[in-house]
Amino acid sequence: MRDRHSAAAGRRAARVLALLLGLIGALLAPGPVSAAQAAPGTSVIGHAAAASLPTKLRGVNRSGTEFMCVQNRGIFDGPADNASIQAIKHWWANVVRVPLNEDCWLGINGANPAYSGANYRDAISDYVSRLRQAGLHVILELHWSSGVHIGIGSNCWAYASRCQKPMPDSDHTPDFWKSVANTFKSDQGVVFDLFNEPFPNLVMFDAKASWRCWRDGGSACIGFLYPVAGMQTLVNAVRSTGATNYIMVGGINYANDLSGWLTYAPSDPEGKLVASWHSYNFNSCNTQSCWDSQIAPVAARYPLVVGEIGEDDCAHGYVDTLMNWLDSRDLGYLGWTWNTWDCKSGPSLITDYDGTPTAYGQGLKNRLASG
């Protein structure tokens, strides 16, 4: 999610553009493999066989650690103590997704030392440790990164990691993932989500070219104002440390489009890639027919986790329908987000950090409680 710091007008414009791009992508993207053709637990020819996740991951996102540090407001938005972790546990969640900021983790690009570098890394490491001690899996994802982007989808013109960019940068993101992987590689309960919501398609406007950029980066990414790191480069960076953790890789169009995922999936010598999909009511792939044709074939060949689900109407009709579809296929999902801002601007699952649900959050809470 582009979080609550994206303007509502920007979300409405992105919704219209996403619908148009979804139609264009359907015409230009490689044809999906049908679920009937795909053997569960296998991978595309030329890639290592995909290993199954040890459990179905169902839980929440915990936003704040991507933006608080670069806004000089601290590291966490709200409490990160054991009581707040137990409140998440009381929803019967088994995983928490934690967004990270590239500049704050590395201590670069003018990030305040009080909230970056060793202080930031230690705070994140401590939080992850306590989540794990509570029996929760953790997904660490890169949410805000470096690189100047002034085109469609831009929320800031800064080079620094002060908003979401369309793709990771090759200046710092490989180093970020080497450092994160080295820090957490001893714990297989920590999953690495390489980049929150890629949208190279809003820079290149060509589906096949966007997928090549997504995988390969560098010269395959035309029209960018900064050097781009592709997903293959980031997989290589993680594996260069000896880390064997699962790696999540989201598709294009804000991780909502997986139409080219099977064709362009990066290679992983460990065979532990996980497809990451995001699904909101305002996305272009927001119907069962799209899920059946575009998402199910990927889930038949790779583990798939829906890193973010949500809707912007403070209700849970859309997510209920989506969770029905996901549960019928035994797929995991995480609600956006365990924060207390207004549910229309986030959206948010809770009204307080004791875990009182919003009207929207009640839908996820009910589902998690049902087992």
Side-chain angles (χ1 to χ4, degrees):
M1 185 75 177
R2 285 162 286 162
D3 65 50
R4 69 188 181 118
H5 299 274
S6 300
R11 291 200 307 273
R12 289 193 294 269
R15 181 188 310 181
V16 174
L17 185 59
L19 289 170
L20 292 173
L21 289 170
L23 293 173
I24 295 170
L27 294 173
L28 297 178
V33 179
S34 71
Q37 293 172 308
T42 64
S43 178
V44 178
I45 294 173
H47 298 158
S52 297
L53 287 168
T55 187
K56 181 168 71 173
L57 300 178
R58 299 201 308 175
V60 301
N61 287 266
R62 181 68 178 92
S63 183
T65 41
E66 74 273 35
F67 61 80
M68 290 290 287
C69 56
V70 290
Q71 295 173 358
N72 291 319
R73 297 197 288 141
I75 294 176
F76 297 95
D77 180 27
D81 56 10
N82 289 334
S84 67
I85 292 172
Q86 287 303 312
I88 295 174
K89 285 271 291 184
H90 289 159
W91 273 39
W92 298 276
N94 67 11
V95 62
V96 175
R97 184 169 177 259
V98 181
L100 298 180
N101 183 292
E102 182 174 277
D103 288 356
C104 296
W105 181 272
L106 295 174
I108 58 173
N109 290 333
N112 186 339
Y115 310 128
S116 70
N119 288 330
Y120 183 86
R121 294 191 297 270
D122 288 348
I124 297 297
S125 296
D126 176 69
Y127 187 53
V128 171
S129 177
R130 286 184 291 109
L131 288 168
R132 296 292 293 128
Q133 289 170 10
L136 292 159
H137 287 74
V138 177
I139 298 172
L140 296 176
E141 58 100 350
L142 176 57
H143 210 89
W144 284 6
S145 56
S146 302
V148 175
H149 174 60
I150 60 176
I152 298 171
S154 174
N155 294 310
C156 70
W157 288 12
Y159 172 79
S161 304
R162 300 193 62 85
C163 63
Q164 185 164 317
K165 309 299 170 63
M167 283 288 288
D169 65 288
S170 60
D171 288 337
H172 306 298
T173 308
D175 289 337
F176 166 88
W177 275 115
K178 287 177 183 178
S179 178
V180 172
N182 269 318
T183 302
F184 297 102
K185 64 184 179 182
S186 63
D187 186 352
Q188 293 296 302
V190 178
V191 177
F192 303 143
D193 189 349
L194 294 181
F195 194 69
N196 175 45
E197 291 185 343
F199 55 99
N201 52 300
L202 298 190
V203 178
M204 302 178 67
F205 299 103
D206 176 275
K208 292 182 180 178
S210 296
W211 279 108
R212 286 193 293 270
C213 168
W214 174 85
R215 182 190 63 196
D216 300 335
S219 61
C221 298
I222 307 300
F224 284 78
L225 300 179
Y226 62 93
V228 172
M231 300 303 151
Q232 186 64 66
T233 295
L234 302 186
V235 170
N236 295 346
V238 170
R239 296 301 182 223
S240 72
T241 68
T244 60
N245 307 60
Y246 284 92
I247 296 176
M248 292 173 62
V249 190
I252 65 172
N253 203 20
Y254 299 103
N256 179 246
D257 181 350
L258 299 190
S259 61
W261 204 98
L262 289 175
T263 300
Y264 293 95
S267 296
D268 177 22
E270 294 294 328
K272 295 173 77 172
L273 286 188
V274 178
S276 174
W277 181 46
H278 291 186
S279 185
Y280 291 88
N281 60 316
F282 50 81
N283 289 145
S284 57
C285 187
N286 62 0
T287 63
Q288 183 171 337
S289 61
C290 183
W291 309 337
D292 288 341
S293 64
Q294 188 182 123
I295 309 307
V298 179
R301 292 192 172 219
Y302 283 84
L304 186 146
V305 173
V306 193
E308 297 180 14
I309 65 170
E311 54 190 280
D312 60 358
D313 57 2
C314 285
H316 53 85
Y318 177 75
V319 295
D320 284 349
T321 300
L322 175 62
M323 289 185 294
N324 287 340
W325 188 88
L326 296 168
D327 286 340
S328 72
R329 288 156 178 80
D330 207 32
L331 299 174
Y333 45 84
L334 294 85
W336 184 273
T337 174
W338 191 270
N339 295 75
T340 58
W341 52 65
D342 178 75
C343 61
K344 288 184 178 179
S345 65
S348 64
L349 294 164
I350 54 173
T351 61
D352 59 57
Y353 287 102
D354 292 333
T356 304
T358 61
Y360 151 69
Q362 189 69 53
L364 178 65
K365 183 179 182 182
N366 292 344
R367 188 59 57 98
L368 296 180
S370 68

